[in-house]
Amino acid sequence: MGEFTSITTDDAGVATLRLDRAPMNALNSQVWTELGEAARTLTAADDVAAVVIWGGPKIFAAGADIKQMQGMDFQEFFSHGGGLQESFQALARLPKVTIAAINGYALGGGCELALTADFRFAADNAKLGQPEILLGVIPGAGGTQRLSRLVGVSKAKEMVYGGGTYDAQQCLDMGLVDQVHPADEVYDRAVEAARRYAGGPYALRMAKKAIDEGAEMDLDSALRLETTLFTACFATEDRRIGMDSFVQDGPGKAVFTRR
Ligand code: CAA
């Protein structure tokens, strides 16, 4: 779809958003613009129910393009730098299940890209980290926020203050990744999982919205959001299919339409 990103969709409704900017998938302003466009395209695509974000078999992404940033001054970054965060927020808000499949390094903005997904499947050779501090900056695409919400404030501070790199097992232990697989299998495992979610009901969108948006609210407001979205499920065809199927055939046999 763009020079450095592509979207391919299979029959099961799983799209792969592939990043391809050799040698390290560094995220320059064009890449992050393309990622924002991809988020809009994937949001609107009725044939897409789940998305795998993949950087290819060698590297997920080495972060924002340091060579592009090197020459930028305050004004330039103030005017344009927010685009990266906006694109990542659009990906995080995708109303479909998303899985990052991580081979090799996911550093800085690469780790933050993985953090936009619902789940992270890492290859056993994956290495994640937020090394921005070593460049004299802080994570600027959600790394101080999504990371601490996922792994806790202390662990996030350790990662961001120290700028260290963490292997797949360490990431699994701290909850930064959800599953670890052999490097040559991780993408396929992510697609398999995405296919299972793609067969799920429209209510998955409601669940994602309730959990993600509710996490940013006080409990009373979040519970009201939950009630609204729970009630909204009754406007879907899949709610009727799910309950009819249970009554007729027992649990877990419904074939949903994603409507
Ligand atoms: N931006 C621009 N170029 C990069 C890059 C980046 N983030 N990461 C790697 N490259 C370039 C290298 O400069 C090198 O270019 P040349 O061939 O022209 O010298 C090429 O890619 C290959 O890199 P290495 O030789 O370093 O490869 P390696 O295998 O020895 O190391 C690596 C790989 C560990 C990923 C290492 O390149 C590295 O540490 N990269 C930078 C990671 C980083 O600091 N990321 C944070 C960026 S800031 C950010 O992301 C801000 C934010 O929150 C939005």
Side-chain angles (χ1 to χ4, degrees):
M1 81 162 256
E3 188 180 349
F4 302 123
T5 55
S6 60
I7 295 173
T8 49
T9 304
D10 70 14
D11 292 344
V14 174
T16 296
L17 171 55
R18 169 79 199 267
L19 199 58
D20 192 3
R21 182 169 182 247
M24 292 286 149
N25 287 339
L27 309 165
N28 67 2
S29 48
Q30 184 175 335
V31 176
W32 77 56
T33 301
E34 287 183 24
L35 287 172
E37 283 162 8
R40 280 184 289 279
T41 302
L42 290 164
T43 298
D46 288 335
D47 59 334
V48 173
V51 179
V52 174
I53 305 173
W54 192 43
K58 294 199 180 105
I59 185 160
F60 189 72
D65 190 328
I66 301 167
K67 291 168 184 164
Q68 184 181 47
M69 288 190 295
Q70 183 192 18
M72 290 172 88
D73 61 15
F74 165 78
Q75 264 106 356
E76 273 175 282
F77 215 84
F78 194 72
S79 305
H80 305 295
L84 177 59
Q85 204 186 69
E86 279 166 26
S87 292
F88 281 17
Q89 183 66 344
L91 285 170
R93 286 276 190 250
L94 254 174
K96 305 177 181 189
V97 178
T98 56
I99 302 175
I102 306 167
N103 286 88
Y105 289 106
L107 298 178
C111 187
E112 291 167 304
L113 176 60
L115 285 166
T116 67
D118 292 313
F119 306 108
R120 280 146 294 283
F121 287 14
D124 49 14
N125 68 356
K127 290 194 165 57
L128 285 75
Q130 297 290 162
E132 289 90 341
I133 209 76
L134 308 177
L135 302 166
V137 293
I138 65 171
T144 65
Q145 302 307 311
R146 291 197 186 93
L147 182 65
S148 52
R149 283 162 169 75
L150 188 63
V151 302
V153 169
S154 294
K155 202 69 199 175
K157 284 181 175 170
E158 180 195 308
M159 289 182 70
V160 171
Y161 291 2
T165 300
Y166 296 78
D167 66 27
Q169 187 58 49
Q170 289 172 303
C171 292
L172 188 65
D173 292 344
M174 72 170 104
L176 178 50
V177 305
D178 303 286
Q179 296 186 19
V180 177
H181 296 283
D184 59 353
E185 290 178 19
V186 66
Y187 171 72
D188 291 341
R189 295 289 88 78
V191 170
E192 264 170 34
R195 283 191 183 137
R196 284 195 294 276
Y197 288 115
Y202 193 90
L204 276 172
R205 295 180 178 216
M206 313 292 193
K208 178 166 181 167
K209 200 172 171 62
I211 291 171
D212 285 351
E213 295 184 24
E216 292 160 20
M217 297 173 176
D218 65 88
L219 185 60
D220 261 1
S221 308
L223 288 170
R224 276 196 295 277
L225 175 66
E226 184 186 75
T227 300
T228 304
L229 291 167
F230 176 74
T231 308
C233 292
F234 281 76
T236 67
E237 194 171 293
D238 283 339
R239 193 284 310 174
R240 185 188 51 73
I241 290 171
M243 293 190 181
D244 285 354
S245 170
F246 175 85
V247 172
Q248 278 156 33
D249 305 318
K253 297 197 180 61
V255 179
F256 294 112
T257 61
R258 302 201 301 251
R259 283 194 294 275

